[in-house]
């Protein structure tokens, strides 16, 4: 079958080629992929920034399509069901096998392109907000807010009653965040007017210590990414002199008792109900995946990038 394969060419990180057909386990359904989303973490894996984790790895964690082979154990949707799914890999392909606990059915009102933008960014946003705790009436700062996760977090946090300050590299890239409910948009942490009860930090480098300095007493900083790919240096003596009882928490979106399928179903309900609006910066044919990856690396895409499978 046709699939997007990793390439050793730095100028063209992936190529369209041939891959084996999926061989599903008993609890896996086979999906004919109609659309998939590209995440920045996958671009890091492709260029060696993160371990590929196993031999034969191919990218693809966010897909939407139709079940063409139901799970042998009887779990999950029947053949012909439209679904959104979060496989561990291999999703940039004509077909992929996905554990039924990692997919959710789609109503007619949610198309495949919209659904494909949900899994990694949407699940991360939901779990980040659970980690942050109740947000009604609280001041929240989110860095790197113009990516897929930032748009979801901003809309969901604002709907929960939080006053959200979003940090985006440029006002143009962050304009949509104001429409989604952000109370303030700034282009650097230094321009934010603290203190904040909660800081959601995803940039790393100089951004994290600057954001940490904006915490209110008893505040919480959740560290969930390092988009700058620059190591963080923290002065803990300065931190101990800072906000009383402030906390730093590391975040791993995979650590949850809730299945991916449950969170995907929640995201689908929010989208179908008009309460969540995926920000899709570009939609292209999957033959242009390499070009989309380059645009993501160069921060030319706001929100999510979705590829349609011809």
């Amino acid at each position: 079958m046709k699939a997007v394969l990793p390439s050793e060419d730095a100028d063209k990180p992936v190529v369209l080629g041939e891959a084996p057909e999926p061989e599903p386990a008993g609890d896996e359904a086979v999906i004919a992929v109609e659309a998939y989303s590209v995440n920045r973490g996958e671009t890091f894996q492709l260029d060696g920034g993160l371990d590929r984790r196993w031999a034969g790895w191919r990218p693809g964690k966010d897909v939407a399509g139709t079940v063409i082979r139901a799970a042998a154990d009887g779990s999950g949707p029947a053949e012909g069901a439209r679904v959104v799914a979060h496989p561990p890999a291999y999703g940039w392909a004509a077909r992929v096998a996905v554990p039924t606990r990692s997919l959710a059915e789609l109503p007619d009102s949610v198309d495949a392109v919209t659904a494909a933008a949900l899994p990694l960014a949407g699940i991360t946003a939901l779990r980040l907000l659970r980690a942050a705790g109740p947000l009604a009436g609280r001041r929240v700062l989110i860095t790197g807010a113009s990516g897929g996760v930032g748009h979801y977090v901003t809309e969901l946090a604002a709907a929960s009653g939080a006053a959200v300050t979003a940090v985006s590299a440029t006002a143009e890239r962050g304009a949509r965040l104001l429409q989604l409910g952000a109370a303030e948009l700034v282009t650097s942490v230094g321009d934010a007017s603290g203190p904040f009860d909660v800081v959601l930090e995803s940039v790393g480098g100089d951004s994290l210590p600057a954001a940490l300095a904006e915490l209110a007493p008893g505040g919480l900083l959740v560290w969930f990414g390092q988009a700058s790919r620059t190591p963080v240096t923290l002065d803990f003596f300065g931190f101990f002199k800072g906000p009383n009882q402030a906390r730093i928490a590391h975040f791993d979106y995979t650590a949850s008792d809730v299945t991916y399928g449950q969170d995907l179903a929640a995201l689908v309900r929010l989208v179908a109900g008009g309460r969540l609006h995926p920000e899709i910066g570009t939609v292209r044919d999957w033959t242009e995946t390499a070009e989309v990856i380059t645009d993501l690396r160069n921060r030319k895409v706001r929100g999510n990038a979705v590829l349609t499978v011809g």
Side-chain angles (χ1 to χ4, degrees):
M1 69 172 179
K2 292 292 184 182
V4 175
L5 310 176
S7 166
E8 299 304 321
D9 185 345
D11 295 326
K12 193 169 186 179
V14 294
V15 295
L16 190 62
E18 293 291 330
E21 289 285 347
E23 298 180 2
D27 64 343
E28 292 182 328
V30 177
I31 299 170
V33 179
E34 298 171 20
Y36 59 81
S37 182
V38 178
N39 297 291
R40 286 187 62 81
E42 290 167 315
T43 71
F44 296 164
Q45 286 179 289
L46 285 166
D47 64 15
L50 297 172
D51 290 339
R52 291 185 181 175
R53 301 191 180 188
W54 60 82
W57 172 86
R58 287 187 281 111
K61 298 172 72 70
D62 291 14
V63 304
T66 302
V67 174
I68 58 172
R69 181 174 171 182
D73 66 1
S75 64
E79 182 178 324
R82 298 178 58 251
V83 295
V84 58
H86 187 46
Y90 306 122
W92 299 359
R95 291 168 290 281
V96 63
V98 185
T100 55
R101 64 182 178 278
S102 298
L103 55 80
E105 291 196 53
L106 294 172
D108 292 341
S109 60
V110 180
D111 61 68
V113 169
T114 300
L118 289 173
L120 182 58
I123 292 169
T124 299
L126 281 181
R127 296 182 177 187
L128 265 175
L129 294 175
R130 291 180 192 136
L135 294 178
R138 306 184 79 188
R139 303 193 70 219
V140 176
L141 177 71
I142 177 167
T143 65
S146 57
V149 175
H151 282 85
Y152 289 134
V153 166
T154 297
E155 184 169 17
L156 292 172
S160 298
V164 178
T165 294
V167 184
S168 173
T170 67
E172 180 183 7
R173 281 178 57 83
R176 176 67 172 153
L177 298 164
L178 294 171
Q179 298 172 9
L180 294 175
E184 183 181 23
L185 175 69
V186 296
T187 55
S188 72
V189 174
D191 293 332
S193 301
F196 296 94
D197 303 297
V198 175
V199 171
L200 304 174
E201 217 294 305
S202 68
V203 176
D206 294 335
S207 176
L208 193 151
L212 189 60
E214 298 295 329
L215 270 183
L220 170 66
L221 183 146
V222 182
W223 186 1
F224 73 98
Q226 194 159 309
S228 70
R229 308 187 69 183
T230 303
V232 173
T233 300
L234 286 179
D235 178 359
F236 276 94
F237 290 103
F239 175 58
F240 294 148
K241 294 177 182 178
N244 187 37
Q245 300 298 310
R247 296 167 292 148
I248 302 174
H250 173 258
F251 175 82
D252 177 359
Y253 92 101
T254 67
S256 174
D257 294 332
V258 181
T259 68
Y260 295 141
Q262 289 172 304
D263 277 344
L264 286 171
L267 292 164
V268 170
R269 286 195 299 271
L270 289 168
V271 172
R275 298 170 61 191
L276 185 65
H277 301 82
E279 181 66 14
I280 300 174
T282 187
V283 180
R284 304 188 211 175
D285 185 80
W286 70 328
T287 57
E288 299 183 54
T289 301
E291 290 78 8
V292 168
I293 290 170
T294 298
D295 286 348
L296 282 169
R297 287 172 172 169
N298 294 329
R299 299 186 179 277
K300 293 182 178 180
V301 179
R302 183 177 66 189
N304 292 88
V306 176
L307 287 302
T308 56
V309 177

